[in-house]
Amino acid sequence: MAVISIERMGLLSVFFVCLFFSSAFAVDRGNFKTCDQSAFCKRQRAFKPGQSPYRALLETLELSDSRLTLQLINDNNKVHLLLELYRLQGNMTRVKINELKPLKPRFEVPDVLIAEPPTEPLSVLSKDDNGVVLSLGAESQRLIVSARPFRLDIMEGPEVLLSLNSRGLLAFEHLRLRKDTQAQPEGAEVKESVDGDQQQDEGKKDEDEESNKEEDGLWEETFKSHTDTKPNGPTSISLDFSLPGVEHVYGIPEHADDLKLKTTDGGDPYRLYNLDVFQYELYNPMALYGSIPVMLAHNTQRTMGIFWLNAAETWVDISSNTAGKTVFGKMLDFVQGSSEKPQTDVRWISESGIIDVFIMLGPKPSDVFSQYASLTGTQSFPPLASLGYHQCRWNYNDQEDVKSVDQGFDQHDIPYDFIWLDIEHADGKRYFTWDPHKFSQPKEMLQGLMDKKRKMVAIVDPHIKVDSGYKIHNEITSKDFYVKNKDGGNYEGWCWPGNSGYPDFTNPEMRAWWASMFAYDQYEGSMENLFTWNDMNEPSVFNGPEVTMHKDALHGKWEHRDIHNMYGLYVQMATAEGQIQRSGGAERPFVLTRAFFAGSQRFGAVWTGDNAAEWDHLKISIPMCLSLGLVGVSFCGADVGGFFKNPSTELLVRWYQTGAYQPFFRAHAHLDTTRREPWLFGPENTALIREAVRQRYALLPYWYQLFFQAYRTGMPVMRPLWVDYPKDTATFTIDDEFLIGSDLLVHPVTEEGSRGVTAYLPGAGEVWYDVHTFQKHNGAQNLYIPVTLSSIPVFQRGGSIIPRKDRVRRSSACMENDPYTLYVALSPKKFAEGKLYIDDGHSFNYDTKKEFIHRSLTFANNALTSSNLCPDCNFLTSSWIEKVLILGASKPSKVVLKMNGKETPVDFEFDSSMSVLTLRKPGMNAGDDWTLLLQ
């Protein structure tokens, strides 16, 4: 959120905030660094591809059951590094590079990996003076270590899959004493300023060197009015990766850009540095609220992934030998027999820490997802209600306002599950409290929602008002849990409450204490239907450099520069743990976070931040969420309607229609916008929004099954088409449509005044059915679809079975025992399959007690069968199958239900014009074994 309410803030606070938000409706690029303004990025990027100064000392090679170690030497400055290579289970390789003997330990990222990854033995196939060849086990995979210059190649058969340091851009700035120039030969210190630098003038004098070091920001750096002291000096790292045969790379969110990553030649690299960037610009590589340093590479033969485990500020350069070539140019290469193979080169640059990279070798997209999940965990399995609709704005004024909005949904027959409260609900923005005048009876308010089987989310931000009368502040102070400034005092900065302290969430004792504050006897006024929103957790510091914390702030012995991108993950981790603990470990949490890192998927949902009510922001929500899904975060959404500005009625309707088919479905709006509850735009538009929300609720069984699958396997819920059609090159750049699971294809209408959209339906030999009309279309074609304002182009894949609940009620919990309708979309071979998952929707009993139903639904040989996928599971449901629609069917003479050894006739209707067979009230329990025979 941005643009402040000045209530209860001192004049100095107001001054800072007004200064910062003077351009409320456009990002001020001057607040945020470019690569040239980031000293380490500028230094590293000044190196050009060439001969690497690093050499592998093969005589130091040591091989154990779990790893290979080998020393590297920089021939320019004689600094030794330690290379560690691991062959990991699941077709992955880990590469670590650190100083052999650092002056003190360098930061290594904790708490992101769910466990130390299990290894498999490496074996040496051959070794000579030029290098060593190692076996990676399956399918003739080999890891080749070249000695001079140092280089790694991973090969499969004759093909190079990936190379490290093939362009000679490995650079490792070693820790050093600031005054060690006196003990070095002339020129040595400047060379060491960036290990591997061969471009320095060795004839410079010591005093010139010292001056240049200051100019280069080696020991101190100033941006605008902020000075970053660097007691450890330059510590940045860099490594290049080459991907032969690859033209398409994806991932490294969060950026407001296309799904397919662009080359960065001639511009800034993609930046990963969690920042509070309100109303961000689109289609550029600027950093946003979250950072996940994972990139996927894909071609028709293979999908691979690179996971760069580093939490410091990071920049990623991408170049390609096919960049800029037109389709005609590529065809000309083919006709002329050009032998140039496409290649993408990627360079990672981080400010501190070590090189710790996981190479995920696929080969299928699903393999990469499971490989990454094995490292950082899967998407947490959310409560069913959180997959419903969420109503939010900054701010609902008081309890009466909440009650009125809640009643409005009932009066207009629009379902919803959660209503949200922003910062104004708290007493002077003191989190874990309630405004005594506006929200004086929070339990009464929550009980009113609970009576309707609805829930609430209240914001709890990680900046704490410095106020001796505030319990939370006093306890953090007494326990010494605040982040420290470089001089050892409590770090303070300005945020919504005014002068604020920032809890050190890297401290596990601090996180445990924070979690305990969500207990019902600590969080006064809270109840079991109150959940949490963590905003501003980049962290946002209004008067800090780039609107965030100073890099020389201290988290114990580590600088903030080392851990910055993890701060938000830790906040969400502690908050989710608090929700779990308050129920005695019984209930699943729901926590929304704005900042995130690798592993954040384990703790809840994310959203795309402070967008705007503009058509381009609606469009960009699709690739932004697709990018997050590719790197583990399935529970993603964007503020429906746009946070800033006021949407036109058409834009608002189209955004509801898009949001209803994205994983996290929440409307949100800025304090200064006009009210935009769904019924405020006339009855016709209310009806359109109602229909979009009702479509979401009808599909909740399908969404829930997909999130169960994501939790178990790491497969993204909302995904690009190429994930399921990896050999279809036409899908590789599509990001205006997407798949939900494998079986629903959605092409939202995101153009103003649109009268039609063209959707690509993938799959040669496949068919797709319009879910609204049941019209059948062939795959592998671009289909033009005329649209009106009521249209949401959605298609079900032939060969799939999707369960729905078509009796939509006011909330998901009200639909718990309602019956299912099965939509069976037949393939050309008259086959279909799907799954049905049912549990209590809110507890961990599915995990701790195996209390769930998981059914396999299969249509083959004119029989629809439900069979048990978990025979030792134990759960009962009152839900039954009230209808079955079979699309692409032929008319049977009769339909018989076989169940419990009995055969019962079933009523049916057949629409010959659409080839749709409808079976009415077959009546079997959703958890039972049964077969429907079409005779």
Side-chain angles (χ1 to χ4, degrees):
M1 64 174 61
V3 185
I4 190 167
S5 163
I6 63 173
E7 184 179 10
R8 298 187 180 90
M9 290 189 65
L11 290 176
L12 187 57
S13 169
V14 174
F15 167 76
F16 274 115
V17 174
C18 290
L19 184 68
F20 175 66
F21 290 117
S22 57
S23 300
F25 293 115
V27 65
D28 182 356
R29 283 194 175 211
N31 281 328
F32 306 103
K33 289 182 180 180
T34 63
C35 179
D36 275 350
Q37 293 168 315
S38 181
F40 79 92
C41 183
K42 183 178 181 180
R43 287 196 308 272
Q44 292 278 11
R45 216 182 187 204
F47 299 150
K48 304 304 179 187
Q51 181 84 357
S52 175
Y54 287 94
R55 175 166 52 93
L57 302 175
L58 297 179
E59 66 274 15
T60 65
L61 185 151
E62 294 183 12
L63 184 63
S64 69
D65 287 342
S66 61
R67 69 171 183 166
L68 175 147
T69 62
L70 184 66
Q71 289 183 33
L72 309 178
I73 187 170
N74 182 329
D75 280 330
N76 287 349
N77 59 25
K78 309 309 178 187
V79 172
H80 286 241
L81 304 178
L82 179 66
L83 168 71
E84 298 175 70
L85 298 176
Y86 301 83
R87 175 186 164 201
L88 303 182
Q89 288 182 14
N91 203 21
M92 293 181 286
T93 299
R94 185 180 192 179
V95 180
K96 293 180 73 172
I97 303 176
N98 197 353
E99 295 184 50
L100 179 64
K101 295 180 179 179
L103 287 178
K104 58 182 177 179
R106 296 177 68 115
F107 184 72
E108 298 188 38
V109 174
D111 301 317
V112 167
L113 302 179
I114 56 175
E116 193 62 26
T119 60
E120 294 185 338
L122 279 166
S123 59
V124 174
L125 296 177
S126 64
K127 180 183 176 184
D128 59 24
D129 292 343
N130 297 316
V132 58
V133 180
L134 303 164
S135 171
L136 291 178
E139 298 185 23
S140 304
Q141 286 185 357
R142 304 180 309 287
L143 175 60
I144 301 174
V145 182
S146 300
R148 186 191 295 266
F150 165 68
R151 167 177 171 154
L152 294 179
D153 292 280
I154 296 178
M155 301 188 67
E156 185 172 280
E159 296 292 321
V160 177
L161 302 181
L162 176 143
S163 301
L164 284 72
N165 201 37
S166 61
R167 295 191 299 149
L169 293 173
L170 167 62
F172 205 105
E173 294 183 332
H174 63 281
L175 294 168
R176 75 226 40 213
L177 299 174
R178 184 163 190 172
K179 298 301 182 183
D180 63 354
T181 53
Q182 305 307 314
Q184 299 291 339
E186 188 175 72
E189 178 67 10
V190 176
K191 285 183 182 179
E192 291 181 17
S193 67
V194 177
D195 297 349
D197 185 358
Q198 301 180 51
Q199 303 172 30
Q200 301 289 344
D201 179 359
E202 297 189 21
K204 292 188 178 182
K205 296 186 181 294
D206 285 348
E207 48 279 19
D208 289 336
E209 292 169 4
E210 200 67 36
S211 172
N212 285 338
K213 284 190 298 180
E214 296 307 325
E215 289 175 9
D216 288 344
L218 300 181
W219 295 91
E220 188 174 277
E221 181 176 354
T222 299
F223 178 67
K224 301 185 78 169
S225 62
H226 300 284
T227 297
D228 173 23
T229 64
K230 301 180 181 181
N232 294 321
T235 57
S236 69
I237 55 177
S238 168
L239 183 60
D240 63 279
F241 299 78
S242 294
L243 297 158
V246 169
E247 293 184 77
H248 298 83
V249 289
Y250 311 89
I252 58 169
E254 181 177 36
H255 300 96
D257 210 343
D258 296 324
L259 174 66
K260 177 185 180 290
L261 297 170
K262 300 182 178 77
T263 58
T264 57
D265 300 330
D268 257 11
Y270 284 96
R271 191 183 187 198
L272 295 172
Y273 191 61
N274 295 359
L275 292 172
D276 181 359
V277 186
F278 56 95
Q279 200 187 334
Y280 42 84
E281 290 184 12
L282 308 184
Y283 303 107
N284 71 56
M286 286 178 65
L288 287 179
Y289 311 96
S291 301
I292 301 182
V294 177
M295 179 181 290
L296 272 63
H298 178 72
N299 60 23
T300 57
Q301 302 304 310
R302 179 180 290 269
T303 308
M304 296 186 294
I306 299 171
F307 173 25
W308 177 267
L309 182 53
N310 190 296
E313 178 185 348
T314 297
W315 300 78
V316 185
D317 254 326
I318 301 170
S319 58
S320 169
N321 64 359
T322 58
K325 284 192 179 181
T326 63
V327 173
F328 176 77
K330 292 179 183 180
M331 289 177 61
L332 194 62
D333 285 348
F334 178 76
V335 171
Q336 294 177 344
S338 172
S339 60
E340 184 177 32
K341 186 177 185 178
Q343 178 167 304
T344 295
D345 297 309
V346 181
R347 185 186 188 187
W348 299 76
I349 304 169
S350 291
E351 185 174 14
S352 64
I354 70 166
I355 292 173
D356 190 0
V357 61
F358 296 83
I359 300 163
M360 301 170 285
L361 294 173
K364 301 190 299 293
S366 59
D367 295 325
V368 174
F369 301 137
S370 65
Q371 287 158 1
Y372 181 64
S374 74
L375 298 173
T376 67
T378 59
Q379 175 68 58
S380 61
F381 190 30
L384 174 60
S386 66
L387 300 179
Y389 173 63
H390 301 250
Q391 181 66 34
C392 184
R393 79 172 277 111
W394 178 25
N395 201 88
Y396 286 117
N397 300 322
D398 50 33
Q399 287 181 215
E400 283 304 310
D401 197 7
V402 170
K403 185 176 181 180
S404 174
V405 171
D406 175 68
Q407 291 173 342
F409 278 89
D410 292 336
Q411 291 164 3
H412 296 91
D413 195 24
I414 302 173
Y416 90 97
D417 268 87
F418 284 81
I419 190 165
W420 292 52
L421 296 180
D422 212 319
I423 56 176
E424 312 300 335
H425 84 277
D427 182 9
K429 302 174 183 65
R430 298 170 180 86
Y431 306 110
F432 299 100
T433 71
W434 304 85
D435 186 295
H437 306 293
K438 298 176 181 178
F439 295 93
S440 59
Q441 302 293 328
K443 285 192 174 181
E444 178 183 299
M445 173 179 61
L446 289 165
Q447 186 61 52
L449 294 170
M450 188 179 290
D451 291 343
K452 293 185 175 182
K453 298 190 175 183
R454 288 174 174 152
K455 299 169 175 59
M456 174 172 276
V457 170
I459 200 166
V460 178
D461 286 349
H463 48 261
I464 303 301
K465 184 178 179 67
V466 176
D467 175 4
S468 60
Y470 179 24
K471 180 187 81 168
I472 299 291
H473 167 68
N474 290 340
E475 289 203 28
I476 295 174
T477 302
S478 68
K479 296 177 184 295
D480 201 26
F481 282 162
Y482 276 126
V483 175
K484 304 301 179 184
N485 60 35
K486 63 183 175 64
D487 299 317
N490 286 344
Y491 179 90
E492 294 181 0
W494 293 95
C495 211
W496 296 124
N499 194 34
S500 302
Y502 290 78
D504 184 1
F505 285 90
T506 69
N507 181 347
E509 294 181 7
M510 164 61 211
R511 295 199 300 273
W513 174 84
W514 180 268
S516 74
M517 290 299 99
F518 289 90
Y520 298 123
D521 61 351
Q522 294 291 330
Y523 190 168
E524 188 175 346
S526 66
M527 291 175 56
E528 64 191 63
N529 64 331
L530 180 67
F531 296 84
T532 311
W533 172 16
N534 294 147
D535 196 2
M536 316 298 284
N537 54 338
E538 292 75 26
S540 180
V541 183
F542 291 160
N543 60 333
E546 300 193 89
V547 203
T548 194
M549 188 172 284
H550 292 71
K551 288 181 175 178
D552 54 11
L554 296 172
H555 302 260
K557 67 179 181 179
W558 301 112
E559 286 189 289
H560 185 71
R561 85 179 71 249
D562 298 314
I563 67 94
H564 174 84
N565 286 343
M566 296 180 69
Y567 190 84
L569 172 142
Y570 277 131
V571 175
Q572 190 186 23
M573 175 192 293
T575 303
E577 182 59 31
Q579 287 187 13
I580 294 169
Q581 287 181 9
R582 73 179 184 179
S583 69
E587 296 295 315
R588 288 176 242 169
F590 172 71
V591 183
L592 178 73
T593 183
R594 189 170 71 177
F596 51 84
F597 189 63
S600 287
Q601 69 271 12
R602 304 198 301 266
F603 307 111
V606 306
W607 93 107
T608 61
D610 296 345
N611 59 4
E614 298 172 356
W615 287 93
D616 280 348
H617 277 261
L618 168 59
K619 293 174 196 171
I620 207 73
S621 70
I622 299 173
M624 289 181 76
C625 280
L626 288 174
S627 295
L628 280 161
L630 289 175
V631 296
V633 180
S634 272
F635 208 176
C636 169
D639 287 343
V640 168
F643 178 67
F644 286 107
K645 304 183 181 180
N646 295 302
S648 67
T649 301
E650 181 190 3
L651 175 58
L652 184 65
V653 168
R654 290 301 192 200
W655 214 317
Y656 268 97
Q657 293 171 342
T658 303
Y661 286 92
Q662 292 177 344
F664 177 56
F665 184 23
R666 181 186 75 151
H668 186 37
H670 185 274
L671 186 73
D672 291 340
T673 61
T674 55
R675 294 288 285 254
R676 59 169 90 141
E677 283 72 40
W679 52 86
L680 297 178
F681 299 86
E684 290 184 3
N685 294 303
T686 299
L688 293 172
I689 294 172
R690 178 191 301 117
E691 175 57 24
V693 177
R694 288 174 66 86
Q695 286 185 33
R696 170 58 166 240
Y697 275 77
L699 279 168
L700 281 179
Y702 181 61
W703 283 104
Y704 199 47
Q705 152 66 25
L706 291 175
F707 269 91
F708 182 69
Q709 180 191 41
Y711 161 72
R712 282 208 159 172
T713 69
M715 283 294 290
V717 171
M718 174 182 174
R719 59 184 75 153
L721 274 61
W722 64 259
V723 168
D724 283 80
Y725 298 88
K727 294 186 181 297
D728 185 349
T729 57
T731 67
F732 290 3
T733 59
I734 291 176
D735 60 9
D736 58 354
E737 63 182 77
F738 52 90
L739 292 169
I740 303 170
S742 297
D743 299 336
L744 282 184
L745 184 150
V746 186
H747 191 305
V749 181
T750 59
E751 295 282 350
E752 185 175 12
S754 178
R755 296 183 179 181
V757 298
T758 299
Y760 179 70
L761 303 181
E766 295 193 26
V767 294
W768 294 85
Y769 297 85
D770 185 311
V771 301
H772 309 298
T773 66
F774 304 140
Q775 186 173 351
K776 182 168 67 174
H777 304 278
N778 291 325
Q781 68 157 320
N782 287 297
L783 178 70
Y784 180 78
I785 308 154
V787 299
T788 65
L789 193 53
S790 65
S791 303
I792 314 175
V794 182
F795 300 87
Q796 181 174 345
R797 183 180 60 83
S800 67
I801 301 174
I802 291 180
R804 293 172 42 145
K805 285 194 173 184
D806 287 336
R807 298 188 190 183
V808 175
R809 303 186 190 274
R810 67 184 174 213
S811 73
S812 61
C814 293
M815 299 165 60
E816 179 180 6
N817 296 318
D818 283 348
Y820 290 91
T821 297
L822 303 181
Y823 287 75
V824 181
L826 297 183
S827 71
K829 295 183 178 180
K830 304 300 181 184
F831 175 82
E833 60 184 345
K835 292 183 174 66
L836 174 63
Y837 177 85
I838 308 171
D839 64 16
D840 63 21
H842 57 86
S843 80
F844 283 109
N845 288 353
Y846 72 91
D847 184 46
T848 58
K849 300 179 181 179
K850 298 193 92 171
E851 291 184 359
F852 64 88
I853 293 167
H854 202 198
R855 310 293 302 180
S856 172
L857 305 170
T858 306
F859 185 96
N861 301 318
N862 284 323
L864 176 62
T865 302
S866 174
S867 56
N868 197 351
L869 287 170
C870 187
D872 58 340
C873 290
N874 179 31
F875 188 74
L876 299 176
T877 180
S878 299
S879 296
W880 52 287
I881 310 298
E882 73 168 340
K883 189 189 297 186
V884 178
L885 277 76
I886 303 176
L887 316 182
S890 302
K891 185 178 181 179
S893 58
K894 65 177 180 177
V895 178
V896 173
L897 171 64
K898 289 184 65 175
M899 187 174 172
N900 298 325
K902 299 179 181 178
E903 293 191 3
T904 309
V906 175
D907 292 338
F908 66 90
E909 296 175 1
F910 183 71
D911 181 345
S912 58
S913 66
M914 299 303 296
S915 298
V916 176
L917 177 66
T918 302
L919 315 182
R920 299 194 178 279
K921 296 185 179 180
M924 50 282 196
N925 184 279
D928 286 344
D929 291 340
W930 49 262
T931 298
L932 285 165
L933 294 173
L934 279 57
Q935 298 176 340

